[in-house]
Amino acid sequence: MLKAGVTLLFIGLSLLVVCDGSPLSDENSEPDEIDTTGWSGFSLKLINQCKQNTGSNAAFLAVLESVEKTVTCVSRFDTVRQNLKIDFFQMTNATREAFFTKYCPEARPFLSCFDGALASLRPCLKEREFNFVKTFIESIPETMDLACKNDGEILFQLRDETRQECFRQRFEQLSMCADVAKRTWNFDLDFSELMQGHCSIITDYRECAKEQLDACNLSDIISIYDVPMNAILGLTSCAKNKEEPKVETHQNNSTDEV
């Protein structure tokens, strides 16, 4: 089952390859013979669903292979990521145009790293479950476009020292927002079975987080969260009678120098 928090699927698959330490191919093993000793519950559930849907473990082995390729593909972004981190913390209003002009195009090609894993998952997931994963992945370019918009106007707010200090002071409260949501959420609930009665958990978390961000004059950041979440919730009953949060950004690049 595709559990709440679609991103955990790819995190879990990556950890499965890295931590389970199982070979992707074994000349002495048949597709229906997988030693699952020490494997996580996430891995076991995915194995069972792949076998239930296809009749063998071959589909699960294909998932393992494609995820290993995904991890290898994404790892090529490490050098870019390290340079990006250094440059971000050195960025000023005068240099941010050059920063986002450089790194946004460099990051976009790595989105294709997930294509193989997404295709390999299809036989293992029900159609509705697969649509949730696919919708999340397809929302990432729009999320990136919003983060890069107007030379990174939204993200550049995090470079302001006053906002940084406020954010640090309220980080514990932000964590509490997530903790409340986790305690309330039934993690056996499939996202595809999300009913109107459960929608308040998601909206309450958003409002809780937004309250903390508002206090630090970082309200626009919630719009980056809204892009993938609204895309996913659009496939559920939560989309009914729901007003879409407005994306509020400044109209120009007149962010103050920091």
Side-chain angles (χ1 to χ4, degrees):
M1 298 285 283
L2 179 62
K3 303 302 178 183
V6 179
T7 53
L8 291 178
L9 180 60
F10 286 98
I11 295 172
L13 288 172
S14 299
L15 290 175
L16 184 150
V17 172
V18 174
C19 300
D20 284 340
S22 302
L24 299 183
S25 61
D26 188 334
E27 293 179 355
N28 297 320
S29 297
E30 294 297 326
D32 288 331
E33 298 177 358
I34 296 179
D35 182 2
T36 58
T37 304
W39 283 32
S40 67
F42 177 93
S43 305
L44 296 175
K45 288 178 181 178
L46 188 58
I47 292 172
N48 290 336
Q49 185 152 329
C50 288
K51 189 166 186 177
Q52 180 180 352
N53 289 355
T54 66
S56 77
N57 285 322
F60 177 76
L61 294 176
V63 171
L64 281 182
E65 184 175 1
S66 67
V67 170
E68 184 181 51
K69 292 178 180 178
T70 298
V71 172
T72 300
C73 178
V74 172
S75 68
R76 296 199 297 269
F77 186 65
D78 283 348
T79 300
V80 176
R81 181 173 56 84
Q82 291 300 323
N83 293 334
L84 182 152
K85 183 178 180 180
I86 294 171
D87 289 348
F88 181 82
F89 287 106
Q90 295 177 344
M91 179 174 50
T92 68
N93 193 44
T95 64
R96 70 188 179 102
E97 179 181 0
F99 175 91
F100 285 98
T101 300
K102 175 182 178 182
Y103 285 111
C104 288
E106 286 187 10
R108 183 173 290 277
F110 288 94
L111 297 178
S112 63
C113 291
F114 294 96
D115 292 347
L118 184 62
S120 70
L121 280 168
R122 185 160 207 142
C124 296
L125 300 178
K126 297 175 183 177
E127 187 66 22
R128 185 167 171 79
E129 294 172 336
F130 178 80
N131 285 339
F132 275 84
V133 181
K134 183 172 180 286
T135 297
F136 172 76
I137 295 298
E138 289 178 346
S139 75
I140 295 177
E142 183 181 351
T143 305
M144 182 179 296
D145 287 345
L146 182 58
C148 294
K149 185 178 179 180
N150 292 339
D151 299 327
E153 183 177 25
I154 295 176
L155 293 183
F156 185 70
Q157 295 174 9
L158 292 170
R159 291 291 298 118
D160 181 80
E161 293 183 0
T162 302
R163 287 166 169 155
Q164 284 182 20
E165 180 59 28
C166 178
F167 186 81
R168 283 192 290 267
Q169 292 176 358
R170 290 183 173 267
F171 187 79
E172 184 175 347
Q173 290 96 319
L174 280 166
S175 298
M176 289 176 62
C177 294
D179 289 341
V180 170
K182 286 190 292 185
R183 287 196 302 269
T184 309
W185 191 273
N186 173 11
F187 281 96
D188 287 331
L189 178 68
D190 190 313
F191 234 119
S192 64
E193 297 171 356
L194 193 63
M195 304 301 291
Q196 196 67 36
H198 302 103
C199 302
S200 61
I201 300 173
I202 297 171
T203 55
D204 288 350
Y205 166 75
R206 182 189 184 278
E207 289 308 306
C208 182
K210 186 176 184 298
E211 181 179 351
Q212 307 307 319
L213 293 171
D214 285 348
C216 297
N217 196 18
L218 289 169
S219 304
D220 289 343
I221 290 178
I222 201 70
S223 61
I224 295 178
Y225 162 88
D226 285 338
V227 173
M229 188 54 62
N230 287 341
I232 293 171
L233 292 182
L235 302 178
T236 74
S237 61
C238 294
K240 297 178 181 178
N241 302 319
K242 176 179 178 295
E243 182 179 351
E244 293 290 331
K246 296 180 180 179
V247 176
E248 299 179 357
T249 60
H250 299 108
Q251 298 302 312
N252 54 52
N253 292 351
S254 59
T255 306
D256 294 335
E257 178 78 49
V258 297

